[in-house]
Amino acid sequence: MGIVAGLDSSPDFTRIVVCDSDTGAVLRQGYAPHPLESPEGGGRPADIDPQAWLLSLGEAAGGGLLEGVQAIGVSAQANSVVPLDTQGNTVRPAMVGGDKRSQVAAADLIDALGGREAWAQAVGSVPQTGQPVTKLRWLARSEPEAAARTAVLLQAHDWLVWQLLGRPARRTTDRGGASGTGYWSAATGGYRPDLVELALGHQAILPEVIGPADAAGTTPEGLLISAGTGETQAAAFGLGIGLGDAVVSLGASGSVMAVHTEPLVDQSGMITALADATGMHLPVVTTLNAVRALRGTAELLGVPDLESLSELAMKSTPGAHGLVLLPYLEGERTPNLPHTAGTLAGLRRESMRPEHLARAAFEGMLCGLADALDVLRGRGVDVRRVFLLGAAAELQAVQAAAPALFGTQVVVPQPADYAAIGSARQAAWALGVSQGTLDPRTPPVWQGAVAQVLEPGEELAVGQAVRQQYVSVREQTHPGAL
């Protein structure tokens, strides 16, 4: 078929991979940071001129990187809103990221529709800080003039696709991107314009939701552009996960997602009912505390880095001599304990050693993520294999404990640009369908991620005992939280 490209516009940079459309082999790569001014006090800005994404894209594609490419797929950061006026110009900078400004807006929206269950029934999830629907509510309350001028709503990947196509009259998105907005239902496959009006104060034009293998259009130069999707969905597609697979991401906070055949309605707000990039569903459960619990423990123990903390933890034994850390250092979302603090239980004279606390930190982090996995399992999601992502997945203490604590095979893929690879795979699918060589119901089969496979083996019983020790402390400290 030829060669295709995948473009991932993350919060900080653009990555592009050029792949063989038959095998998925990466042929060329490009990278460029976004030209962003750092806000006062550091951190990531909540408002960004989307032109920065185009400038970064142009730089990443320099040097003839896209020469010979026949199709491009685009993924971009989730929880982004690009408000446009009737002429297609941005009304204000794009609103991106977690954006804590919209905390009050989320609570307002929950009350305005009649509670959490009403939202869960409407769109499969409860409004959260940073979600597009809550950003619209914040905009209506804080910048009413900008809200009044907003006529069209796009997300980051929708806007980039539209720009690549030369700003046509037709604007598109995909199921994956639409499912994160808070005003599209994965269960019905349709928008809820009334929720846009509830948040923004008036109706707005929303992009057409096209199928996973559909093309958004063709550039004036004849380059096919696929539907595009959110960064999370693209990464899942790039990893090649399917039914029975879950992905556990170890960042400062953690997330667990799995492929499922149907959308999950969850009034607790613990599950976000996303659609994936293939026509299936991708329920996600997040925890507020993952690697931040390890970093906090390293600082407490005076250990210089996470590798040293891991080495220290390996000097202990499973169960950390009875020490249990509930790692709720930032409060917690799974279980829903927003105002709680962490707990260290099981202190005895023999357990008060640095290696046992280090071990308890790793076990606490992984048991917290196992709780998130159990939320999905409890709703009928099949989990036979767990993909473990993030730099911390390479640590020996994580790899030693994860299979037995999760109770399943653990796969640790080699670091790669999986969101960009997933976008390229989507481009190959759309290209194949347009040429009549691929079925719109079946994506191209690409080489799987190069990975290390870890089995629970004989450690399973020990791991499950450690897990039960953790659950007992959680139940004693926060009865009925899960």
Side-chain angles (χ1 to χ4, degrees), residues 301 303 307-316 354-356 358:
L301 293 174
V303 173
E307 288 75 14
S308 303
L309 187 72
S310 173
E311 290 171 10
L312 185 61
M314 293 304 293
K315 294 177 181 176
S316 180
E355 61 268 29
H356 302 325

Side-chain angles (χ1 to χ4, degrees), residues 24 29 46 52 75 81-82 202 206 239 266 289 318 340 352 355 369 381 384 394 400 447 456 465 473:
Q29 300 180 62
S75 66
V81 177
V82 186
H202 61 86
L206 303 171
L239 281 167
D266 177 56
N289 302 278
T340 194
M352 295 177 73
E355 61 268 29
L369 290 160
V381 178
R384 296 189 300 272
E394 303 289 333
Q447 300 164 343
V473 171

Side-chain angles (χ1 to χ4, degrees), residues 370-466:
D371 278 350
L373 271 171
D374 282 352
V375 169
L376 293 178
R377 285 174 167 143
R379 296 298 306 279
V381 178
D382 184 25
V383 178
R384 296 189 300 272
R385 182 170 64 163
V386 169
F387 285 74
L388 202 55
L389 300 185
E394 303 289 333
L395 297 173
Q396 185 184 3
V398 170
Q399 295 189 5
L405 291 177
F406 292 160
T408 189
Q409 182 186 87
V410 169
V411 179
V412 184
Q414 280 188 1
D417 301 325
Y418 290 110
I421 290 168
S423 300
R425 189 179 177 207
Q426 186 193 65
W429 194 6
L431 181 65
V433 169
S434 75
Q435 295 174 338
T437 57
L438 286 177
D439 188 317
R441 296 163 297 182
T442 309
V445 178
W446 277 14
Q447 300 164 343
V450 178
Q452 187 177 1
V453 178
L454 310 169
E455 301 284 355
E458 296 176 359
E459 298 296 315
L460 181 59
V462 173
Q464 293 307 291
V466 173

Side-chain angles (χ1 to χ4, degrees), residues 75-347:
S75 66
Q77 56 187 300
N79 289 339
S80 55
V81 177
V82 186
L84 305 179
D85 62 19
T86 53
Q87 304 301 311
N89 300 314
T90 50
V91 168
R92 69 178 312 284
M95 297 178 284
V96 298
D99 200 352
K100 292 183 178 179
R101 294 177 300 190
S102 56
Q103 281 178 325
V104 174
D108 285 349
L109 283 172
I110 292 169
D111 291 343
L113 194 65
R116 304 171 77 87
E117 186 170 1
W119 278 97
Q121 294 295 336
V123 291
S125 60
V126 179
Q128 300 150 18
T129 299
Q131 219 174 359
V133 72
T134 65
K135 286 182 163 76
L136 296 182
R137 180 73 158 199
W138 176 88
L139 186 65
R141 292 285 185 269
S142 303
E143 300 178 7
E145 290 183 9
R149 289 172 50 219
T150 298
V152 181
L153 295 172
L154 298 179
Q155 293 192 85
H157 81 270
D158 310 334
W159 187 84
L160 284 165
V161 165
W162 184 58
Q163 295 289 332
L164 288 172
L165 291 172
R167 296 164 58 108
R170 181 192 189 215
R171 301 176 185 90
T172 62
T173 191
D174 84 307
R175 295 170 64 256
S179 66
T181 59
Y183 44 81
W184 184 86
S185 167
T188 65
Y191 282 115
R192 287 289 302 265
D194 58 314
L195 300 183
V196 175
E197 186 168 358
L198 181 68
L200 186 61
H202 61 86
Q203 295 287 348
I205 297 169
L206 303 171
E208 176 189 344
V209 181
I210 61 176
D214 292 345
T218 306
T219 69
E221 299 78 27
L223 198 62
L224 183 140
I225 307 293
S226 63
T229 194
E231 206 166 32
T232 299
Q233 290 86 350
F237 197 42
L239 281 167
I241 68 169
L243 289 172
D245 291 335
V247 178
V248 173
S249 295
L250 301 176
S253 54
S255 70
V256 175
M257 61 182 176
V259 179
H260 197 46
T261 53
E262 58 191 35
L264 297 178
V265 173
D266 177 56
Q267 68 189 61
S268 75
M270 285 192 290
I271 299 175
T272 301
L274 298 181
D276 79 349
T278 71
M280 301 282 276
H281 296 272
L282 197 66
V284 179
V285 179
T286 59
T287 69
L288 297 181
N289 302 278
V291 175
R292 63 166 41 98
L294 303 184
R295 296 202 184 283
T297 305
E299 289 173 14
L300 180 66
L301 293 174
V303 173
D305 52 40
L306 296 187
E307 288 75 14
S308 303
L309 187 72
S310 173
E311 290 171 10
L312 185 61
M314 293 304 293
K315 294 177 181 176
S316 180
T317 53
H321 275 242
L323 272 192
V324 175
L325 177 66
L326 302 183
Y328 306 154
L329 308 185
E330 296 280 322
E332 191 46 85
R333 187 171 158 195
T334 307
N336 186 23
L337 299 165
H339 306 299
T340 194
T343 301
L344 183 61
L347 282 171

